[in-house]
């Protein structure tokens, strides 16, 4: 039966070529969207390494000034002044806030292997882990005991630890900065499972969390992270702003709870996908129209053939089945061709980790299901119409 | 001849109403998407209204400093000092304006906090851009010189902050500074004009901004006539070579460019900050190629539908061939038929695109969007329809012209 149908499909190959090309393209489009959607979902389910509820971020806006223009005491003053507010539980400083699109990239080299490793990094003060609710996997966070030591303390994520010290426990190891200038030596004091500062859709990267101490660090950070009491209303912002202005009146402050920053960022990342999905849905609708039209015309043209089959004793159900199965067969051939092309992407690693095998498999299944359903839906009515033909009339059809 | 073609086409379309409808629906869907994109691109790059002087306008949006070996570089927005020292003294330019890019600020009213996008701008800004003033007045040089704490808000913000009351004359507290609202302007979503609230430059809490070479400023240069633009571009590129950065040892070379809106976006997307050519042509070509690629699936779809239709008409084609019609004539006829259908679809698509744009404006998916279909967009839409018609008509026409008259007469292709 199947062989016979294949033969029938092959005999009309030039017509079917265009139709399969259309299905192939439609499949590729659905595949692309499914792959992106699945990748986002996969990333969303991975840990981001911190808990931002009841954390607020304050960006301090001041112009480019040399580090010594801001006395180190300013940070202590800000901290003490903010902790006096009854709503504030913890105050920390960081180079950039989570849920912003800031990236700070640098590279380190391990003294043992000499391998140079690029990594994202962030400098945070001792209180930030508490303010952000970051979870430690092993070791400890840096604290006041690290002040003034020759080796700078650092916390690595698991990925960075594996890249820098392959096959060895990373805790307690030393590594050096690979940037120009006098080399700085770091010691691994702790490990976290993950830290993804750009939120749940960020691709996991190497990450080094370094210590910011106002009195010893060269840099001047511009972000305050505050842990506030649960249920603090948004109106607290007014009070917070007044308090900050009392410390430095010439700076301006951009205050936002991390939860609202997270919502804004997620929206920004999802809207493009939604727009593309809507356009693709329109295209699929169009393909459905087209398939329906072509199948209708095909069955009309094949009325004499169908009449002959009916006259020779084929049941209506078997005609129906023939039309539907032929269409599904054509779909399968087109999708197989598309898959041969698409499988090159994960094989060559052209898209890196974005299109990994689980995502590829999931996207394939999902898009196959969509295309099969679409063809099935489009062939049901033409098939039914063909199966209803009266054999006598069909044989005389001209 | 053409009249005959049109008549035949009309009759054929009517004979198979369902397929004509399906064909039209496909064409309309495709063209609506393409026309909405065209309309959005047109308002972004060649807007009318507030930034209607775009034909005479150049903007400087970035400053790039490079180390001698070119290995390390940094790209920032301009600082006020750069604009004041290098761009403002330029001759042969009607006006130069310095303004900040929008930044989020909080407006406190009792317990309510509203997040708004604020720009600080100089008095020239209001003269270059043609804002539609709904109430009050716009800031002038006096406000700038005296550093008056005045603000202009747009209509949506005025409604949001003071529902049911006149906004002009009210006072608002923006990030701890108190401003008096002196004017309300219509909402606008253009590259340089977009903001919720505008205040004079001189209201910065400190004067530190006047010492910054890089910061969060951009500059607009208004030429006296569009033909001056190439000269101004050259002048700005030359001025950039005289620029002395605050760290001349590490970053001896500095570049900035006076760009049209398209150039600004192209430079950003293609990261071509160090060349004079912004890659705008490449960006336009890429957009065009993208649109053609987008048309591929619908075109294939139409090819498939048309193939079916030809085979139905094989008897007619056989008769015409038997009476001496050449293949070229027959192919021409089908292409004309198809282009005709596409143009009809294009007209219908224009109406639907206008509806889609109204919906887009009403949905506030892009805030303050105001976009309409004008003559250039109409022209583009019709051109797209023509291209689409040719793209999807060529293959079936070729196939049809190759039908053998003997078989075609019998109706068995």
């Amino acid at each position: 039966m199947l062989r016979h149908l294949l033969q029938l499909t092959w005999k009309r190959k030039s017509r079917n070529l265009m139709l399969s090309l259309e299905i192939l393209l439609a499949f590729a489009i659905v595949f692309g969207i499914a792959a992106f959607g699945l990748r986002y979902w996969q990333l969303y389910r991975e840990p981001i390494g911190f808990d931002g509820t009841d954390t607020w971020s304050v960006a301090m806006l001041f112009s480019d000034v040399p580090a010594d223009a801001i006395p180190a005491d300013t940070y202590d003053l800000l901290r003490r002044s903010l902790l006096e507010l009854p709503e504030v539980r913890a105050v920390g400083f960081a180079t950039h806030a989570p849920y912003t699109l800031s990236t700070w990239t640098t590279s380190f080299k391990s003294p043992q292997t000499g391998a140079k490793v690029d990594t994202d990094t962030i400098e945070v003060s001792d209180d930030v882990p508490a303010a952000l609710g970051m979870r430690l996997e092993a070791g400890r966070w840096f604290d006041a005991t690290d002040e003034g030591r020759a080796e700078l303390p650092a916390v690595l994520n698991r990925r960075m630890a594996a890249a820098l010290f392959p096959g060895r426990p990373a805790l307690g190891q030393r590594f050096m900065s690979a940037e120009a200038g006098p080399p700085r030596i770091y010691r691994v004091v702790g490990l976290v499972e993950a830290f993804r500062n750009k939120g749940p859709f960020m691709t996991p990267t190497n990450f080094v969390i370094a210590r910011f101490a106002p009195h010893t660090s060269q840099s001047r950070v511009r972000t305050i992270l505050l842990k506030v009491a649960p249920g603090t209303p948004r109106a607290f912002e007014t009070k917070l702003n007044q308090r900050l202005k009392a410390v430095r009146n010439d700076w301006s402050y951009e205050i936002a709870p991390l939860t609202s920053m997270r919502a804004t960022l997620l929206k920004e990342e999802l809207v493009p996908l939604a727009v593309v999905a809507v356009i693709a849905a329109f295209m699929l609708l169009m393909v459905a129209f087209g398939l329906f039209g072509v199948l209708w015309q095909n069955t009309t043209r094949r009325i004499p053939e169908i009449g002959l089959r009916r006259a020779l004793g084929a049941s209506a159900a078997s005609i129906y089945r023939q039309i539907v199965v032929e269409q599904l067969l054509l779909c399968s051939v087109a999708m197989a061709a598309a898959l041969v092309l698409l499988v090159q992407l994960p094989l060559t690693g052209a898209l890196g980790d974005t299109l990994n095998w689980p995502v590829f498999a999931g996207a394939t299944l999902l898009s196959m299901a969509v295309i099969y359903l679409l063809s099935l839906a489009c062939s049901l009515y033409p098939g039914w119409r063909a199966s209803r033909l009266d054999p006598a009339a069909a044989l005389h059809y001209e | 001849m053409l009249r005959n073609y049109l008549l035949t086409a009309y009759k054929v379309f009517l004979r198979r109403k369902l397929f004509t409808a399906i064909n039209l629906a496909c064409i309309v869907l495709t063209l609506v998407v393409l026309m909405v994109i065209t309309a959005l691109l047109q308002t972004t790059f060649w807007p009318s209204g507030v930034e209607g002087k775009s034909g005479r306008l150049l903007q400087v949006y970035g400053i790039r400093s490079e180390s001698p070996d070119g290995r390390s570089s940094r790209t920032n927005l301009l600082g006020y000092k750069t604009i004041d020292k290098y761009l403002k003294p330029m001759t042969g330019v009607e006006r130069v304006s310095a303004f900040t890019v929008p930044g989020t600020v909080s407006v406190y009213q009792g317990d309510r906090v509203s997040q708004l996008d604020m720009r600080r701008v100089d008095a020239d800004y209001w003269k270059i851009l043609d804002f539609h003033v709904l109430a009050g007045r716009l800031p002038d040089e006096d406000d700038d010189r005296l550093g008056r704490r005045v603000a202009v808000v747009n209509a949506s913000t005025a409604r949001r902050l003071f529902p049911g009351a006149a906004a002009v004359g009210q006072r608002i507290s923006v990030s701890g500074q108190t401003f008096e609202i002196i004017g309300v302007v219509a909402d606008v979503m253009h590259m340089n004009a977009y903001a919720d609230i505008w205040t004079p430059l001189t209201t910065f809490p400190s004067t530190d901004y006047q010492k910054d070479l890089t910061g969060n400023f951009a500059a607009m240069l208004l030429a006296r006539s569009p033909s001056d633009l190439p000269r101004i571009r050259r002048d700005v590129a030359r001025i950039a070579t005289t620029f002395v950065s605050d760290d001349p040892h590490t970053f001896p070379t500095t570049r900035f460019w006076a760009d049209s809106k398209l150039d600004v976006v192209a430079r950003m997307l293609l990261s071509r900050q160090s060349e004079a050519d912004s890659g705008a042509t490449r960006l336009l070509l890429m957009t065009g190629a993208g649109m053609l690629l987008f048309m591929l699936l619908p075109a294939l779809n139409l090819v498939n539908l048309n193939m079916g239709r030809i085979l139905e008409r094989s008897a007619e084609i056989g008769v015409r061939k038997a009476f001496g019609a050449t293949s070229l004539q027959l192919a021409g006829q089908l292409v004309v038929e198809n282009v005709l259908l596409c143009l009809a679809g294009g007209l219908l698509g224009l109406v639907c695109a206008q509806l889609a744009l109204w919906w887009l404006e009403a949905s506030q998916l892009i805030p303050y969007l105001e976009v309409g279909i004008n003559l250039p967009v109409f022209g583009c839409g019709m051109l797209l329809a023509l291209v689409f018609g040719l793209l999807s008509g060529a293959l079936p026409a070729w196939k049809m012209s190759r039908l053998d008259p003997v078989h075609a007469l019998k109706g068995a292709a």
Side-chain angles (χ1 to χ4, degrees), chain B residues 323-340:
Chain B
F323 278 94
T326 63
S327 296
L328 211 64
Q329 281 172 333
L330 281 172
Q333 180 184 350
L334 196 92
V335 170
V336 166
E337 265 178 35
N338 200 46
V339 166
L340 205 70

Side-chain angles (χ1 to χ4, degrees), chain B residues 40 82 87 125 146 166 182 185 192 205-206 224 306 370 373:
Chain B
L40 288 178
T82 309
L87 296 177
Y125 180 85
L146 302 172
I182 55 163
V185 296
N192 305 310
S206 84
R224 294 215 170 81
N306 280 343
E370 209 178 286
I373 288 179

Side-chain angles (χ1 to χ4, degrees), chain A residues 35-350:
Chain A
F36 262 104
L38 283 173
R39 176 63 179 162
Y40 270 13
W41 191 58
Q42 194 185 39
L43 286 175
Y44 191 82
R45 282 161 43 108
E46 279 180 28
I48 61 168
F50 63 92
D51 163 43
T53 43
D54 303 318
T55 308
W56 288 38
S57 139
V58 179
M60 301 180 274
L61 309 174
F62 47 85
S63 51
D64 282 321
V65 285
D68 50 12
I70 301 167
D73 294 336
T74 311
Y75 290 99
D76 287 338
L77 199 61
L78 278 169
R79 204 175 85 87
R80 277 201 307 275
S81 167
L82 289 176
L83 279 173
E84 279 168 17
L85 293 170
E87 291 92 343
V88 177
R89 299 285 154 86
V91 179
F93 300 95
T95 41
H96 47 278
Y99 301 124
T100 55
L101 290 177
S102 316
T103 315
W104 180 12
T105 319
T106 181
S107 48
F108 294 105
K109 62 178 178 218
S110 130
Q112 287 95 333
T113 56
K116 190 177 159 192
V117 183
D118 291 331
T119 174
D120 285 9
T121 182
I122 187 172
E123 269 185 20
V124 301
S125 70
D126 295 342
D127 302 302
V128 165
L132 264 184
M134 290 157 78
R135 285 173 290 272
L136 200 62
E137 203 175 46
R140 61 174 180 89
W141 287 110
F142 25 74
D143 49 40
T145 58
D146 293 309
E147 189 79 28
R149 287 209 197 160
E151 291 162 346
L152 301 165
V155 174
L156 271 53
N157 71 348
R158 203 194 281 158
R159 199 184 156 99
M160 181 63 181
L164 210 51
F165 310 105
R168 280 180 299 144
L171 214 58
Q173 302 275 11
R174 300 192 318 161
F175 61 98
M176 285 158 65
S177 66
E179 303 273 281
R184 292 184 303 271
I185 299 171
Y186 292 84
R187 181 179 288 283
V188 184
V189 297
L191 292 173
V192 291
E193 191 196 352
F195 187 71
R196 295 190 291 153
N197 61 323
K198 278 176 262 180
F201 293 144
M202 180 188 173
T203 313
T205 55
N206 294 338
F207 220 105
V208 173
I209 303 166
R211 178 168 184 257
F212 167 73
H215 292 280
T216 46
S217 297
Q218 296 286 321
S219 51
R220 285 290 172 260
V221 303
R222 291 162 183 248
T223 304
I224 311 173
L225 293 169
L226 300 170
K227 181 89 179 172
V228 297
T232 306
R234 188 74 198 249
F236 170 60
E237 197 182 323
T238 323
K239 203 169 152 191
L240 189 60
N241 191 60
Q242 277 166 4
R243 179 54 67 108
L244 289 163
K245 281 276 179 188
V247 180
R248 279 302 290 246
N249 192 34
D250 55 338
W251 294 353
S252 42
Y253 303 93
E254 216 175 284
I255 305 166
L258 282 192
T259 39
S260 79
M261 288 166 74
R262 180 178 192 271
T264 317
L265 190 67
L266 287 195
K267 200 175 143 200
E268 258 171 45
E269 286 170 322
L270 285 177
V271 160
L273 189 69
V275 170
V276 173
V278 166
I279 292 178
F282 275 125
M283 290 192 104
L284 274 188
L285 188 70
M286 209 149 54
V287 170
F289 277 151
L291 272 185
F292 181 78
V294 170
L295 282 174
W296 181 298
Q297 283 166 341
N298 273 358
T299 45
T300 313
R301 285 191 51 234
R302 292 169 66 187
I303 283 174
E305 174 198 331
I306 292 163
L308 197 62
R309 277 203 70 197
R310 285 298 300 260
L312 290 177
S315 67
S318 89
I319 299 285
Y320 200 176
R321 210 161 43 230
Q322 181 194 356
I323 300 288
V324 173
V325 172
E326 261 186 43
Q327 176 55 30
L328 293 184
L329 207 65
L330 193 68
C331 276
S332 310
V333 171
M335 283 194 281
L339 275 179
V340 168
L341 294 176
L342 286 173
V343 82
Q344 307 302 324
L345 288 175
L347 275 182
T348 55

Side-chain angles (χ1 to χ4, degrees), chain B residues 105-153:
Chain B
V105 293
S106 306
V107 173
Y108 305 116
Q109 297 170 289
D111 272 358
R112 263 178 61 213
V113 179
S114 323
Q115 303 282 321
L116 300 174
D117 283 340
M118 180 165 99
R119 273 186 201 271
R120 293 183 199 261
V121 302
D122 60 6
D124 284 321
Y125 180 85
W126 302 107
K127 290 181 181 140
I128 293 177
L129 302 179
D130 306 310
F131 278 95
H132 180 48
V133 184
L134 300 175
R137 64 175 182 95
L138 297 175
D140 52 28
E141 274 95 357
D142 277 351
D143 296 313
D144 256 22
R145 197 160 37 80
L146 302 172
R148 283 190 197 131
R149 300 272 170 95
V150 292
V152 172
V153 294

